[in-house]
Amino acid sequence: MTQPATRRTVLATGAGAIALGCVGCGAQNGGEATSTPSASSASASSASASSPAAQEAATGGKALAKTSDIPEGGGKVFKQEKVVVTQPKKGDFKAFSAICTHQGCTVNAVADGTIDCPCHGSRFRIDDGSVAHGPATRPLPKRSIQVEGKSIHLA
Protein backbone atom coordinates (compact mmCIF):
# COMPACT_ATOMS: atom_id res chain seq x y z
CA MET A 1 0.00 0.00 0.00
CA THR A 2 1.13 3.52 -0.66
CA GLN A 3 1.19 6.15 2.03
CA PRO A 4 -1.07 9.19 1.62
CA ALA A 5 0.74 12.43 0.74
CA THR A 6 1.45 14.70 3.68
CA ARG A 7 0.73 18.40 3.62
CA ARG A 8 4.49 19.06 3.71
CA THR A 9 5.06 16.92 0.58
CA VAL A 10 2.23 18.61 -1.33
CA LEU A 11 3.43 22.12 -0.42
CA ALA A 12 7.06 21.35 -1.25
CA THR A 13 6.11 19.83 -4.61
CA GLY A 14 3.86 22.81 -5.45
CA ALA A 15 6.54 25.35 -4.49
CA GLY A 16 9.07 23.53 -6.66
CA ALA A 17 6.71 23.54 -9.64
CA ILE A 18 6.04 27.26 -9.22
CA ALA A 19 9.77 27.98 -8.96
CA LEU A 20 10.43 26.05 -12.17
CA GLY A 21 7.60 27.87 -13.93
CA CYS A 22 9.05 31.24 -13.00
CA VAL A 23 12.60 30.58 -14.19
CA GLY A 24 13.42 33.44 -16.55
CA CYS A 25 10.51 35.58 -15.36
CA GLY A 26 12.61 37.80 -13.14
CA ALA A 27 14.28 40.98 -14.27
CA GLN A 28 18.00 41.35 -14.61
CA ASN A 29 20.27 44.29 -13.85
CA GLY A 30 19.39 44.90 -10.22
CA GLY A 31 15.67 44.32 -10.56
CA GLU A 32 15.08 46.62 -13.51
CA ALA A 33 13.63 45.17 -16.67
CA THR A 34 15.41 45.59 -19.97
CA SER A 35 14.08 45.65 -23.48
CA THR A 36 16.03 44.52 -26.48
CA PRO A 37 14.31 45.27 -29.76
CA SER A 38 14.11 42.20 -31.94
CA ALA A 39 14.94 42.55 -35.58
CA SER A 40 12.55 41.08 -38.09
CA SER A 41 13.47 40.64 -41.69
CA ALA A 42 11.06 40.65 -44.57
CA SER A 43 12.04 38.75 -47.67
CA ALA A 44 11.24 40.96 -50.62
CA SER A 45 12.29 38.22 -53.06
CA SER A 46 9.37 36.00 -52.03
CA ALA A 47 6.82 38.79 -52.10
CA SER A 48 5.46 40.52 -55.18
CA ALA A 49 6.32 44.20 -55.65
CA SER A 50 2.76 45.25 -54.83
CA SER A 51 2.43 43.23 -51.61
CA PRO A 52 2.49 44.95 -48.18
CA ALA A 53 5.63 42.97 -47.26
CA ALA A 54 7.45 44.25 -50.34
CA GLN A 55 6.32 47.81 -49.61
CA GLU A 56 7.55 47.52 -46.00
CA ALA A 57 10.91 46.22 -47.19
CA ALA A 58 11.21 49.05 -49.69
CA THR A 59 10.46 51.71 -47.08
CA GLY A 60 12.60 50.15 -44.35
CA GLY A 61 9.89 48.73 -42.11
CA LYS A 62 6.34 48.82 -40.85
CA ALA A 63 4.49 52.08 -41.36
CA LEU A 64 3.61 53.48 -37.94
CA ALA A 65 1.92 56.79 -38.60
CA LYS A 66 1.71 59.92 -40.66
CA THR A 67 3.89 62.77 -39.46
CA SER A 68 0.70 64.76 -38.82
CA ASP A 69 -0.37 62.10 -36.25
CA ILE A 70 2.52 63.04 -33.94
CA PRO A 71 1.88 66.38 -32.20
CA GLU A 72 4.70 68.91 -31.96
CA GLY A 73 5.99 68.91 -28.36
CA GLY A 74 4.29 65.56 -27.75
CA GLY A 75 4.13 62.05 -29.10
CA LYS A 76 2.17 58.86 -29.52
CA VAL A 77 2.51 55.39 -27.97
CA PHE A 78 2.21 52.39 -30.30
CA LYS A 79 1.45 49.58 -27.83
CA GLN A 80 1.43 46.70 -30.32
CA GLU A 81 4.85 47.68 -31.71
CA LYS A 82 6.13 48.59 -28.21
CA VAL A 83 7.45 51.92 -29.47
CA VAL A 84 6.74 55.57 -28.71
CA VAL A 85 7.34 58.27 -31.32
CA THR A 86 7.83 61.87 -30.25
CA GLN A 87 8.26 65.23 -32.00
CA PRO A 88 10.14 67.49 -29.55
CA LYS A 89 10.52 70.22 -32.20
CA LYS A 90 8.71 70.70 -35.49
CA GLY A 91 9.95 68.10 -37.97
CA ASP A 92 12.29 66.41 -35.43
CA PHE A 93 10.96 62.89 -34.82
CA LYS A 94 12.41 60.52 -32.21
CA ALA A 95 11.52 56.96 -31.24
CA PHE A 96 12.05 55.00 -28.04
CA SER A 97 11.07 51.66 -26.59
CA ALA A 98 7.65 51.84 -24.94
CA ILE A 99 8.83 49.45 -22.21
CA CYS A 100 9.65 51.25 -18.95
CA THR A 101 13.16 50.50 -17.70
CA HIS A 102 11.97 50.31 -14.09
CA GLN A 103 9.75 47.21 -14.02
CA GLY A 104 8.90 46.52 -17.67
CA CYS A 105 5.44 48.11 -17.88
CA THR A 106 4.32 49.66 -21.15
CA VAL A 107 4.25 53.46 -21.08
CA ASN A 108 0.80 54.79 -21.83
CA ALA A 109 0.92 58.53 -22.44
CA VAL A 110 2.95 61.45 -23.73
CA ALA A 111 2.10 64.70 -21.96
CA ASP A 112 3.80 67.92 -20.86
CA GLY A 113 7.11 66.98 -22.50
CA THR A 114 7.38 63.52 -20.93
CA ILE A 115 6.63 59.90 -21.77
CA ASP A 116 4.70 58.54 -18.78
CA CYS A 117 4.57 55.08 -17.21
CA PRO A 118 1.33 54.27 -15.35
CA CYS A 119 2.77 51.60 -13.06
CA HIS A 120 5.05 53.53 -10.70
CA GLY A 121 5.07 57.07 -12.09
CA SER A 122 8.35 57.10 -14.03
CA ARG A 123 8.57 59.86 -16.65
CA PHE A 124 11.02 60.17 -19.53
CA ARG A 125 11.93 63.27 -21.61
CA ILE A 126 10.52 63.29 -25.15
CA ASP A 127 13.72 64.66 -26.70
CA ASP A 128 16.18 61.95 -25.58
CA GLY A 129 14.31 59.35 -23.49
CA SER A 130 16.26 60.28 -20.35
CA VAL A 131 14.68 59.94 -16.92
CA ALA A 132 12.77 63.06 -15.84
CA HIS A 133 11.24 61.45 -12.74
CA GLY A 134 11.95 58.07 -11.10
CA PRO A 135 11.77 55.42 -9.86
CA ALA A 136 13.35 54.41 -13.21
CA THR A 137 17.09 55.12 -13.27
CA ARG A 138 17.87 54.28 -16.91
CA PRO A 139 16.60 56.03 -20.06
CA LEU A 140 14.26 54.46 -22.55
CA PRO A 141 16.29 52.71 -25.27
CA LYS A 142 16.25 54.49 -28.64
CA ARG A 143 14.46 52.82 -31.56
CA SER A 144 15.22 53.41 -35.22
CA ILE A 145 12.62 55.05 -37.43
CA GLN A 146 12.65 56.52 -40.91
CA VAL A 147 10.65 59.56 -41.93
CA GLU A 148 9.90 59.48 -45.64
CA GLY A 149 7.70 62.26 -46.88
CA LYS A 150 4.71 62.26 -44.56
CA SER A 151 5.16 58.68 -43.30
CA ILE A 152 7.02 57.34 -40.27
CA HIS A 153 8.30 53.76 -40.54
CA LEU A 154 10.12 51.42 -38.15
CA ALA A 155 13.64 51.02 -39.51
PDB file of all heavy atoms in Angstrom, residues 22-44:
ATOM      1  N   CYS A  22       8.649  29.840 -13.009  1.00  0.00           N
ATOM      2  CA  CYS A  22       9.052  31.244 -13.003  1.00  0.00           C
ATOM      3  C   CYS A  22      10.496  31.467 -13.432  1.00  0.00           C
ATOM      4  O   CYS A  22      10.952  32.590 -13.461  1.00  0.00           O
ATOM      5  CB  CYS A  22       8.850  31.854 -11.615  1.00  0.00           C
ATOM      6  SG  CYS A  22       7.106  32.114 -11.246  1.00  0.00           S
ATOM      7  N   VAL A  23      11.220  30.408 -13.747  1.00  0.00           N
ATOM      8  CA  VAL A  23      12.600  30.581 -14.190  1.00  0.00           C
ATOM      9  C   VAL A  23      12.586  31.458 -15.433  1.00  0.00           C
ATOM     10  O   VAL A  23      11.862  31.222 -16.372  1.00  0.00           O
ATOM     11  CB  VAL A  23      13.258  29.213 -14.493  1.00  0.00           C
ATOM     12  CG1 VAL A  23      14.601  29.404 -15.176  1.00  0.00           C
ATOM     13  CG2 VAL A  23      13.433  28.427 -13.213  1.00  0.00           C
ATOM     14  N   GLY A  24      13.359  32.515 -15.420  1.00  0.00           N
ATOM     15  CA  GLY A  24      13.421  33.435 -16.546  1.00  0.00           C
ATOM     16  C   GLY A  24      12.394  34.545 -16.472  1.00  0.00           C
ATOM     17  O   GLY A  24      12.400  35.435 -17.301  1.00  0.00           O
ATOM     18  N   CYS A  25      11.505  34.517 -15.479  1.00  0.00           N
ATOM     19  CA  CYS A  25      10.506  35.576 -15.363  1.00  0.00           C
ATOM     20  C   CYS A  25      11.076  36.824 -14.719  1.00  0.00           C
ATOM     21  O   CYS A  25      10.593  37.915 -14.945  1.00  0.00           O
ATOM     22  CB  CYS A  25       9.312  35.106 -14.517  1.00  0.00           C
ATOM     23  SG  CYS A  25       8.354  33.821 -15.314  1.00  0.00           S
ATOM     24  N   GLY A  26      12.069  36.675 -13.891  1.00  0.00           N
ATOM     25  CA  GLY A  26      12.613  37.801 -13.144  1.00  0.00           C
ATOM     26  C   GLY A  26      13.403  38.738 -14.015  1.00  0.00           C
ATOM     27  O   GLY A  26      13.892  38.401 -15.072  1.00  0.00           O
ATOM     28  N   ALA A  27      13.507  39.970 -13.564  1.00  0.00           N
ATOM     29  CA  ALA A  27      14.276  40.979 -14.273  1.00  0.00           C
ATOM     30  C   ALA A  27      15.749  40.835 -13.943  1.00  0.00           C
ATOM     31  O   ALA A  27      16.113  40.278 -12.927  1.00  0.00           O
ATOM     32  CB  ALA A  27      13.780  42.373 -13.879  1.00  0.00           C
ATOM     33  N   GLN A  28      16.561  41.358 -14.820  1.00  0.00           N
ATOM     34  CA  GLN A  28      17.995  41.354 -14.607  1.00  0.00           C
ATOM     35  C   GLN A  28      18.436  42.758 -14.251  1.00  0.00           C
ATOM     36  O   GLN A  28      17.645  43.673 -14.173  1.00  0.00           O
ATOM     37  CB  GLN A  28      18.710  40.900 -15.877  1.00  0.00           C
ATOM     38  CG  GLN A  28      18.314  39.489 -16.279  1.00  0.00           C
ATOM     39  CD  GLN A  28      18.918  39.115 -17.630  1.00  0.00           C
ATOM     40  OE1 GLN A  28      19.623  39.878 -18.243  1.00  0.00           O
ATOM     41  NE2 GLN A  28      18.615  37.923 -18.075  1.00  0.00           N
ATOM     42  N   ASN A  29      19.703  42.964 -14.078  1.00  0.00           N
ATOM     43  CA  ASN A  29      20.273  44.289 -13.851  1.00  0.00           C
ATOM     44  C   ASN A  29      19.719  44.947 -12.600  1.00  0.00           C
ATOM     45  O   ASN A  29      19.182  46.043 -12.642  1.00  0.00           O
ATOM     46  CB  ASN A  29      20.055  45.207 -15.056  1.00  0.00           C
ATOM     47  CG  ASN A  29      20.658  44.647 -16.309  1.00  0.00           C
ATOM     48  OD1 ASN A  29      21.699  43.987 -16.248  1.00  0.00           O
ATOM     49  ND2 ASN A  29      20.024  44.881 -17.444  1.00  0.00           N
ATOM     50  N   GLY A  30      19.803  44.294 -11.479  1.00  0.00           N
ATOM     51  CA  GLY A  30      19.387  44.904 -10.220  1.00  0.00           C
ATOM     52  C   GLY A  30      17.898  45.088 -10.090  1.00  0.00           C
ATOM     53  O   GLY A  30      17.444  46.015  -9.450  1.00  0.00           O
ATOM     54  N   GLY A  31      17.111  44.249 -10.725  1.00  0.00           N
ATOM     55  CA  GLY A  31      15.666  44.322 -10.560  1.00  0.00           C
ATOM     56  C   GLY A  31      14.968  45.182 -11.584  1.00  0.00           C
ATOM     57  O   GLY A  31      13.773  45.309 -11.571  1.00  0.00           O
ATOM     58  N   GLU A  32      15.716  45.808 -12.503  1.00  0.00           N
ATOM     59  CA  GLU A  32      15.080  46.620 -13.509  1.00  0.00           C
ATOM     60  C   GLU A  32      14.981  45.834 -14.795  1.00  0.00           C
ATOM     61  O   GLU A  32      15.906  45.161 -15.202  1.00  0.00           O
ATOM     62  CB  GLU A  32      15.870  47.909 -13.738  1.00  0.00           C
ATOM     63  CG  GLU A  32      15.828  48.815 -12.522  1.00  0.00           C
ATOM     64  CD  GLU A  32      16.357  50.189 -12.821  1.00  0.00           C
ATOM     65  OE1 GLU A  32      16.543  50.524 -13.993  1.00  0.00           O
ATOM     66  OE2 GLU A  32      16.564  50.928 -11.872  1.00  0.00           O
ATOM     67  N   ALA A  33      13.840  45.906 -15.439  1.00  0.00           N
ATOM     68  CA  ALA A  33      13.626  45.165 -16.668  1.00  0.00           C
ATOM     69  C   ALA A  33      14.347  45.839 -17.822  1.00  0.00           C
ATOM     70  O   ALA A  33      14.522  47.049 -17.830  1.00  0.00           O
ATOM     71  CB  ALA A  33      12.126  45.086 -16.971  1.00  0.00           C
ATOM     72  N   THR A  34      14.765  45.042 -18.779  1.00  0.00           N
ATOM     73  CA  THR A  34      15.406  45.594 -19.965  1.00  0.00           C
ATOM     74  C   THR A  34      14.616  45.191 -21.181  1.00  0.00           C
ATOM     75  O   THR A  34      13.884  44.216 -21.176  1.00  0.00           O
ATOM     76  CB  THR A  34      16.855  45.077 -20.120  1.00  0.00           C
ATOM     77  OG1 THR A  34      16.809  43.653 -20.215  1.00  0.00           O
ATOM     78  CG2 THR A  34      17.711  45.505 -18.961  1.00  0.00           C
ATOM     79  N   SER A  35      14.758  45.948 -22.232  1.00  0.00           N
ATOM     80  CA  SER A  35      14.082  45.650 -23.477  1.00  0.00           C
ATOM     81  C   SER A  35      15.104  45.671 -24.594  1.00  0.00           C
ATOM     82  O   SER A  35      15.818  46.640 -24.762  1.00  0.00           O
ATOM     83  CB  SER A  35      13.007  46.702 -23.754  1.00  0.00           C
ATOM     84  OG  SER A  35      12.445  46.497 -25.019  1.00  0.00           O
ATOM     85  N   THR A  36      15.151  44.594 -25.342  1.00  0.00           N
ATOM     86  CA  THR A  36      16.030  44.524 -26.484  1.00  0.00           C
ATOM     87  C   THR A  36      15.159  44.373 -27.708  1.00  0.00           C
ATOM     88  O   THR A  36      14.468  43.370 -27.867  1.00  0.00           O
ATOM     89  CB  THR A  36      16.987  43.321 -26.378  1.00  0.00           C
ATOM     90  OG1 THR A  36      17.694  43.421 -25.145  1.00  0.00           O
ATOM     91  CG2 THR A  36      17.943  43.296 -27.540  1.00  0.00           C
ATOM     92  N   PRO A  37      15.151  45.380 -28.578  1.00  0.00           N
ATOM     93  CA  PRO A  37      14.314  45.266 -29.761  1.00  0.00           C
ATOM     94  C   PRO A  37      14.745  44.078 -30.603  1.00  0.00           C
ATOM     95  O   PRO A  37      15.922  43.844 -30.795  1.00  0.00           O
ATOM     96  CB  PRO A  37      14.565  46.569 -30.519  1.00  0.00           C
ATOM     97  CG  PRO A  37      15.262  47.472 -29.577  1.00  0.00           C
ATOM     98  CD  PRO A  37      15.889  46.617 -28.525  1.00  0.00           C
ATOM     99  N   SER A  38      13.774  43.325 -31.084  1.00  0.00           N
ATOM    100  CA  SER A  38      14.107  42.203 -31.944  1.00  0.00           C
ATOM    101  C   SER A  38      14.027  42.671 -33.381  1.00  0.00           C
ATOM    102  O   SER A  38      13.178  43.468 -33.751  1.00  0.00           O
ATOM    103  CB  SER A  38      13.147  41.044 -31.701  1.00  0.00           C
ATOM    104  OG  SER A  38      11.841  41.423 -32.031  1.00  0.00           O
ATOM    105  N   ALA A  39      14.933  42.180 -34.180  1.00  0.00           N
ATOM    106  CA  ALA A  39      14.942  42.551 -35.582  1.00  0.00           C
ATOM    107  C   ALA A  39      14.144  41.519 -36.362  1.00  0.00           C
ATOM    108  O   ALA A  39      14.298  40.326 -36.179  1.00  0.00           O
ATOM    109  CB  ALA A  39      16.377  42.614 -36.094  1.00  0.00           C
ATOM    110  N   SER A  40      13.275  41.997 -37.225  1.00  0.00           N
ATOM    111  CA  SER A  40      12.545  41.085 -38.086  1.00  0.00           C
ATOM    112  C   SER A  40      12.934  41.423 -39.507  1.00  0.00           C
ATOM    113  O   SER A  40      13.123  42.572 -39.859  1.00  0.00           O
ATOM    114  CB  SER A  40      11.038  41.214 -37.886  1.00  0.00           C
ATOM    115  OG  SER A  40      10.615  42.497 -38.248  1.00  0.00           O
ATOM    116  N   SER A  41      13.072  40.401 -40.315  1.00  0.00           N
ATOM    117  CA  SER A  41      13.467  40.642 -41.693  1.00  0.00           C
ATOM    118  C   SER A  41      12.374  40.167 -42.620  1.00  0.00           C
ATOM    119  O   SER A  41      11.827  39.095 -42.457  1.00  0.00           O
ATOM    120  CB  SER A  41      14.786  39.937 -42.008  1.00  0.00           C
ATOM    121  OG  SER A  41      14.635  38.549 -41.811  1.00  0.00           O
ATOM    122  N   ALA A  42      12.050  41.003 -43.575  1.00  0.00           N
ATOM    123  CA  ALA A  42      11.057  40.650 -44.574  1.00  0.00           C
ATOM    124  C   ALA A  42      11.791  40.274 -45.845  1.00  0.00           C
ATOM    125  O   ALA A  42      12.709  40.968 -46.258  1.00  0.00           O
ATOM    126  CB  ALA A  42      10.119  41.832 -44.828  1.00  0.00           C
ATOM    127  N   SER A  43      11.390  39.204 -46.447  1.00  0.00           N
ATOM    128  CA  SER A  43      12.040  38.749 -47.668  1.00  0.00           C
ATOM    129  C   SER A  43      11.292  39.315 -48.859  1.00  0.00           C
ATOM    130  O   SER A  43      10.215  38.852 -49.201  1.00  0.00           O
ATOM    131  CB  SER A  43      12.053  37.226 -47.712  1.00  0.00           C
ATOM    132  OG  SER A  43      12.537  36.790 -48.958  1.00  0.00           O
ATOM    133  N   ALA A  44      11.882  40.326 -49.476  1.00  0.00           N
ATOM    134  CA  ALA A  44      11.240  40.959 -50.619  1.00  0.00           C
ATOM    135  C   ALA A  44      11.265  40.051 -51.837  1.00  0.00           C
ATOM    136  O   ALA A  44      10.434  40.182 -52.727  1.00  0.00           O
ATOM    137  CB  ALA A  44      11.929  42.286 -50.938  1.00  0.00           C
TER     138      ALA A  44
END
